[in-house]
Amino acid sequence: MRIERITDLERTELRDFKSLTDVALRRVSEPAGGLYLAESTKVIERALAAGHRPRSFLLIEQWLPDVERLLADYDFDDVPVFVGPAELLKQLTGFDMHRGAIASMHRPPLADVTELLAGARRVVVLEDIVDHTNVGAIFRSVAGLGADAVLITPRCADPLYRRSVRVSMGTVLQVPWTRLPEWPEGAELLRAAGFHIAALALADDAVELDAFAASAPHKVAVLLGSEGDGLTTAAMENSDTVVTIPMMHGVDSLNVAAASAVALYTLRVR
């Protein structure tokens, strides 16, 4: 390990960790050679297990033994491990590093949609979901309930933003995902791979989730819409079935992350 103790916050090597707001990260996360941040040793462990390459590490001094054990099986002699006291690192990042360690990771290239869908039976499609917490929670449901992949539309929040990664407990690093083109091209790709598109929404002609699951198609793509407006007209027009979760006590719907968990459990491959 190349351990470097921090005394100067103006070092250019620390730029990955400076003022880690989502707004700042948007400028560097998408281009080729961009980064994402893995926060906590658990998330870092999942990132490394997924084969992602670190750019550098930042950690509070007392977490060094844990990170040394974590990196013992990897050859990262050329990757700096920056170590410093909590207060100094707070000045650098702009927040308290309660989880003790952050890794700046090289962003892997996005998978091809057709390749991602090959062999899959249950996938989730996120249309324009902009809340990073919801995106992370949905990925955790996908991982825990056994869906095969996630596809996100061009305006959907980035699953590799720090908050999404943290909320997902690092499962965004183990669930295959990629971006889907706009409708109708996105729907055409799903159907070409044999998927029935089930839009989770409120509609007069909607089928209740239990009834749909009782005779579910072999391959199902669960389509989830944005937090405020739900699915767009284009998404609804390009879906095969509208599915709804029956509710009680005058409640019309669940939060999109909760709805994803209910739908995935009900539609799980038996």
Side-chain angles (χ1 to χ4, degrees):
M1 292 174 59
R2 181 182 145 197
I3 300 171
E4 300 195 19
R5 285 179 168 76
I6 301 173
T7 57
D8 180 9
L9 295 182
E10 298 306 314
R11 292 179 57 173
T12 57
E13 301 98 318
L14 296 174
R15 63 186 180 276
D16 285 358
F17 304 105
K18 192 169 185 178
S19 301
L20 299 180
T21 65
D22 285 331
V23 173
L25 285 176
R26 284 189 184 99
R27 295 196 295 268
V28 295
S29 62
E30 290 293 352
L35 64 89
Y36 76 89
L37 297 167
E39 185 178 356
S40 83
T41 54
K42 171 66 74 176
V43 173
I44 293 170
E45 182 177 15
R46 285 183 170 165
L48 298 177
H52 298 184
R53 179 76 183 176
R55 292 158 56 118
S56 58
F57 298 89
L58 180 72
L59 51 136
I60 298 172
E61 182 77 41
Q62 58 262 40
W63 286 79
L64 182 56
D66 291 329
V67 173
E68 285 178 324
R69 284 192 292 271
L70 182 62
L71 301 183
D73 295 330
Y74 296 92
D75 180 16
F76 292 148
D77 291 345
D78 59 332
V79 180
V81 179
F82 297 107
V83 181
E87 283 303 314
L88 188 63
L89 300 193
K90 181 180 179 180
Q91 292 179 42
L92 174 65
T93 63
F95 66 92
D96 287 312
M97 287 179 52
H98 298 299
R99 291 164 181 83
I102 301 177
S104 169
M105 307 292 296
H106 289 284
R107 177 176 287 261
L110 287 175
D112 176 77
V113 173
T114 302
E115 292 178 0
L116 192 70
L117 294 176
R121 288 190 57 188
R122 296 290 183 269
V123 300
V124 173
V125 181
L126 309 184
E127 187 200 37
D128 301 351
I129 296 179
V130 297
D131 185 276
H132 300 103
T133 298
N134 282 334
V135 170
I138 292 169
F139 266 83
R140 191 171 182 183
S141 293
V142 168
L145 297 170
D148 300 301
V150 176
L151 297 99
I152 63 175
T153 61
R155 289 182 296 276
C156 187
D158 183 358
L160 293 184
Y161 282 163
R162 185 172 65 91
R163 189 179 306 159
S164 297
V165 176
R166 185 176 71 240
V167 171
S168 79
M169 295 297 291
T171 55
V172 299
L173 308 173
Q174 66 188 69
V175 172
W177 69 274
T178 195
R179 287 201 180 269
L180 190 70
E182 297 279 9
W183 314 116
E185 184 183 353
E188 292 167 358
L189 287 169
L190 288 164
R191 289 200 183 94
F195 280 87
H196 182 102
I197 303 172
L200 208 62
L202 301 174
D204 293 338
D205 61 345
V207 178
E208 290 194 359
L209 178 60
D210 284 339
F212 180 75
S215 56
H218 183 69
K219 295 184 176 183
V220 179
V222 179
L223 178 55
L224 302 169
S226 66
E227 297 84 348
D229 300 327
L231 291 167
T232 63
T233 300
M236 296 289 282
E237 290 175 346
N238 282 279
S239 62
D240 298 305
T241 304
V242 179
V243 179
T244 189
I245 299 172
M247 307 296 291
M248 297 184 291
H249 305 301
V251 177
D252 62 356
S253 63
L254 298 172
N255 164 273
V256 66
S260 74
V262 173
L264 289 173
Y265 178 79
T266 307
L267 291 169
R268 69 195 184 279
V269 176
R270 312 283 173 154

